[in-house]
């Protein structure tokens, strides 16, 4: 009722001003009538923005939900589309909720906090299906039940930016929406609570370091099963007195914490453990497969360990590895899927572009006593062609887990007689997944099933999985 009243009042003021021959301005020489427009929102795009049609043009409206009528202000306009931000919700969706985080309006980290958790999952499923039909012109035979875990305090690793204002005050947080500015945060409800609670202490430490002439580029948190690592990326090398201050700060702030902590220091590419020296190693595990996965700061791991375990279990079940089969794990990383697959007795070939991750995968295979039926190699999978596929030889099955750009070079290069009987594709970008799914279907694969995994709750990020059978 208040929204309707305010809108009617604003329109009446506008009419009065026009009658009087005046022009209301927002301070930029733009009239209220020019600035604010109304629209019915009918969908959500893959970035979590509402989608509307106004005068034949598609408008992407940040903060708007399907089924809502809103007023909005355009901040970027192109020939075919416009980008805007919601100004007022005239008819709210039944799934709209109050964002839990006080930084929601400024921080660029989470874009769906204003949507109920159940509706987030449903919207992401809709986004996946729309992308598959629009881009790939394909539709799975079965929609898999969505996978989802905790809605808050789930993020096991994160990088926080550091900036200093003109008065020398240090800011620690995530980048702002549509900006490189840093939003100074005192807590974050998607970080584990024991990490969120320490953010003010970490900011105070970084302020002291800055005042002493030491510049910090960013900090990272890594939460393993037995230890939490605070990795500090320095711009200039810290000297002896600073290192002593870091130890003193740790002993005062972190040594008595409920969970074990360790500080790592990074001055260029490599991070090294600093204090205390006897801390346990970072790791996560797959209890179902009796697999333990050590890793180091800087290694690529999924940010949600709980859902990662569920996702890997689903991928292995869908691929159904059998003893004696030869299975490819492309974009294998440190062996996140490779090791659970190898536990079945299948012969697994892992291929990855980063040599340090391949080294880590080999170490993990030895640690988990399955190295005898695993081989790993370094290769640029974005440079795959038909000759590459021939050199690989025949695989019975294949798992693809590419980055956001997808696996187009791989799927395009697959050809007879080297087509695997089954492919499981794990995707972090529905548009490139849809493109690649279309290629596989054109090559004679049946698109058996697909579904989403809400790996990144409160964000618009869509993680999905698909199954293809020859």
């Amino acid at each position: 009722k208040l929204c309707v009243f305010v809108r009617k009042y604003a329109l009446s003021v506008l009419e009065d001003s026009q009658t009087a021959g005046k022009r209301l301005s927002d301070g930029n020489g733009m009239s209220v009538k020019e600035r604010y427009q109304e629209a019915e929102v009918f969908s959500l795009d893959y970035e979590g923005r509402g989608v509307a049609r106004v005068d034949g043009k598609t408008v992407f409206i940040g903060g708007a939900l399907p089924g809502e009528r809103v007023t909005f202000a355009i901040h970027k306009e192109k020939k075919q589309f416009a980008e805007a931000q919601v100004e007022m919700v005239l008819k709210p969706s039944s799934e709209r909720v109050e964002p839990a985080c006080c930084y929601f309006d400024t921080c660029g980290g989470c874009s769906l906090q204003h949507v109920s958790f159940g509706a987030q999952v449903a919207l992401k499923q809709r986004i996946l299906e729309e992308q598959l039909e629009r881009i790939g012109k394909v539709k799975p035979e079965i929609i898999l039940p969505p996978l989802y875990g905790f809605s808050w305090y789930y993020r096991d690793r994160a990088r926080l930016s550091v900036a200093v204002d003109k008065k020398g005050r240090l800011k620690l947080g995530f980048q702002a929406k549509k900006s490189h500015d840093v939003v100074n945060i005192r807590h974050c409800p998607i970080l584990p609570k024991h990490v969120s609670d320490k953010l003010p202490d970490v900011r105070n430490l970084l302020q002291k370091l800055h005042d002493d002439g030491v510049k910090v580029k960013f900090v990272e948190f890594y939460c393993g099963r037995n230890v939490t690592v605070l990795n500090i990326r320095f711009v200039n090398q810290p000297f002896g007195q600073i290192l002593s201050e870091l130890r003193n700060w740790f002993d005062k702030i972190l040594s008595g914490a409920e969970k074990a902590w360790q500080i790592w220091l990074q001055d260029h590419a490599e991070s090294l453990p600093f204090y205390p020296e006897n801390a346990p190693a970072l790791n996560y595990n797959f209890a179902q497969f009796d697999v333990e996965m050590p890793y180091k700061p800087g290694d690529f791991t999924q940010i949600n360990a709980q859902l990662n375990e569920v996702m890997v279990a689903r991928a292995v079940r869908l691929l159904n590895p059998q003893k004696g089969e030869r299975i490819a794990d492309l974009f294998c990383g440190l062996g996140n899927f490779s090791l659970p697959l190898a536990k079945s007795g299948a012969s697994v070939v892992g291929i990855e572009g980063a040599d340090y991750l391949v080294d880590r995968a080999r170490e993990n295979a030895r640690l988990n006593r399955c190295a005898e039926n695993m081989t790993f190699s370094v290769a640029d999978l974005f440079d795959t062609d038909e000759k590459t596929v021939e050199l690989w030889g025949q695989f019975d099955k294949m798992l693809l887990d590419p980055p956001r750009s997808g696996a187009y070079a791989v799927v395009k290069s697959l050809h007879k007689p080297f087509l695997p009987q089954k492919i499981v594709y794990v995707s972090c970008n529905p548009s490139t997944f849809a493109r690649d799914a279309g290629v596989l279907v054109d090559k004679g694969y049946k698109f058996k099933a697909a579904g989403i995994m809400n790996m990144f709750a409160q964000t618009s990020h869509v993680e999905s999985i698909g199954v293809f059978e020859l």
Side-chain angles (χ1 to χ4, degrees):
K1 289 181 180 178
L2 179 60
C3 288
V4 171
F5 169 77
V6 171
R7 176 172 171 265
K8 287 181 177 179
Y9 178 76
L11 291 175
S12 68
V13 171
L14 177 61
E15 290 169 358
D16 290 344
S17 66
Q18 290 172 335
T19 301
K22 298 178 181 178
R23 183 178 187 180
L24 285 178
S25 172
D26 64 358
N28 297 315
M30 182 179 289
S31 71
V32 172
K33 187 174 181 180
E34 290 171 337
R35 176 176 168 83
Y36 299 121
Q37 301 180 58
E38 282 189 25
E40 294 277 356
V41 180
F42 64 86
S43 185
L44 203 71
D45 79 341
Y46 68 94
E47 293 185 13
R49 302 173 298 183
V51 183
R53 295 284 292 178
V54 179
D55 297 331
K57 178 181 287 190
T58 300
V59 183
F60 301 102
I61 308 173
L65 299 178
E68 292 187 332
R69 185 164 187 83
V70 301
T71 63
F72 62 90
I74 292 175
H75 55 77
K76 180 186 289 187
E77 189 152 18
K78 301 287 186 179
K79 185 176 181 180
Q80 301 296 330
F81 68 92
E83 296 180 4
Q85 187 64 33
V86 69
E87 293 288 340
M88 186 183 297
V89 180
L90 306 177
K91 186 183 76 172
S93 165
S94 60
E95 300 296 347
R96 179 176 285 274
V97 297
E98 188 68 24
C101 179
C102 62
Y103 305 106
F104 173 72
D105 289 334
T106 53
C107 179
C110 300
S111 60
L112 291 184
Q113 282 195 32
H114 60 304
V115 186
S116 69
F117 183 63
Q120 289 182 29
V121 175
L123 288 170
K124 291 181 182 184
Q125 182 68 52
R126 186 188 304 172
I127 289 171
L128 173 63
E129 293 178 38
E130 288 176 350
Q131 295 286 293
L132 289 171
E133 292 187 21
R134 185 176 66 84
I135 297 175
K137 306 295 189 294
V138 293
K139 187 175 183 179
E141 295 178 12
I142 299 172
I143 297 297
L144 297 170
L147 298 181
Y148 50 90
F150 298 124
S151 55
W152 303 104
Y153 304 117
Y154 65 84
R155 186 162 188 141
D156 294 309
R157 66 174 173 86
R159 173 180 292 184
L160 276 69
S161 299
V162 173
V164 180
D165 66 17
K166 294 180 180 179
K167 295 184 178 181
R169 294 172 300 195
L170 187 137
K171 296 187 291 184
L172 173 67
F174 297 107
Q175 289 188 343
K177 293 180 179 180
K178 305 293 183 183
S179 167
H180 294 296
D181 293 340
V182 175
V183 178
N184 192 36
I185 63 174
R186 295 185 59 83
H187 60 83
C188 175
I190 65 169
L191 292 179
K193 195 170 187 309
H194 73 282
V195 173
S196 178
D197 290 345
K198 295 300 181 183
L199 291 181
D201 293 311
V202 174
R203 197 207 71 84
N204 291 339
L205 166 68
L206 301 181
Q207 181 71 66
K208 179 68 168 59
L209 294 178
H210 173 76
D211 294 343
D212 290 341
V214 179
K215 292 181 173 59
V216 175
K217 189 173 184 179
F218 58 77
V219 298
E220 295 171 317
F221 294 95
Y222 296 86
C223 301
R225 292 176 60 227
N226 303 311
V227 67
T228 297
V229 166
L230 168 62
N231 181 57
I232 305 175
R233 169 65 163 95
F234 290 98
V235 176
N236 51 339
Q237 183 70 34
F239 45 88
Q241 180 185 344
I242 297 300
L243 298 180
S244 178
E245 289 181 4
L246 280 173
R247 294 188 187 94
N248 292 336
W249 177 85
F250 181 97
D251 291 338
K252 180 180 178 182
I253 302 299
L254 298 179
S255 62
E258 182 179 344
K259 295 180 179 289
W261 284 76
Q262 186 179 32
I263 295 178
W264 286 52
L265 303 183
Q266 178 181 354
D267 58 354
H268 293 292
E270 186 178 11
S271 298
L272 295 172
F274 168 63
Y275 187 76
E277 296 180 359
N278 60 349
L282 279 169
N283 75 331
Y284 62 92
N285 74 328
F286 301 121
Q288 178 179 339
F289 302 103
D290 190 26
V291 168
E292 180 179 322
M293 301 289 290
Y295 66 99
K296 296 180 180 179
D299 291 352
F300 174 79
T301 59
Q302 292 291 352
I303 62 99
N304 187 332
Q306 179 219 17
L307 200 59
N308 180 54
E309 185 170 5
V310 179
M311 175 183 72
V312 169
R314 169 172 277 187
V316 172
R317 185 170 63 253
L318 292 172
L319 202 58
N320 191 24
Q322 300 296 313
K323 190 172 183 178
E325 289 181 333
R326 187 167 184 258
I327 299 177
D329 179 12
L330 305 188
F331 309 94
C332 68
L334 47 73
N336 191 56
F337 292 97
S338 306
L339 272 66
L341 287 169
K343 286 288 184 171
S344 68
S347 175
V348 178
V349 177
I351 304 177
E352 164 62 42
D355 55 358
Y356 70 94
L357 287 177
V358 169
D359 291 340
R360 199 87 72 244
R362 290 176 178 143
E363 293 172 9
N364 289 344
R366 288 191 292 269
L367 173 69
N368 288 278
R369 302 175 301 281
C370 54
E372 65 279 358
N373 58 330
M374 302 188 72
T375 59
F376 293 97
S377 61
V378 180
D380 181 3
L381 291 168
F382 300 106
D383 194 31
T384 301
D385 57 21
E386 290 193 357
K387 184 64 176 178
T388 308
V389 173
E390 291 178 20
L391 292 173
W392 289 342
Q394 182 64 53
F395 288 112
D396 298 292
K397 296 172 182 176
M398 179 177 287
L399 188 137
L400 298 171
D401 182 24
R404 290 187 61 81
S405 54
Y408 182 69
V410 172
V411 298
K412 181 172 63 71
S413 301
L414 292 176
H415 63 283
K416 294 179 180 180
F418 304 102
L419 296 173
Q421 287 297 312
K422 180 182 284 189
I423 296 175
V424 169
Y425 191 130
V426 178
S427 167
C428 57
N429 184 342
S431 60
T432 55
F433 176 47
R435 175 200 64 197
D436 296 347
V439 174
L440 289 173
V441 170
D442 287 343
K443 288 181 179 289
Y445 283 89
K446 291 183 179 180
F447 194 4
K448 301 298 291 185
I452 67 109
M453 302 167 290
N454 197 19
M455 183 77 70
F456 301 81
Q458 314 304 331
T459 80
S460 59
H461 187 101
V462 180
E463 194 92 4
S464 57
I465 190 167
V467 187
F468 302 85
E469 292 184 359
L470 193 60

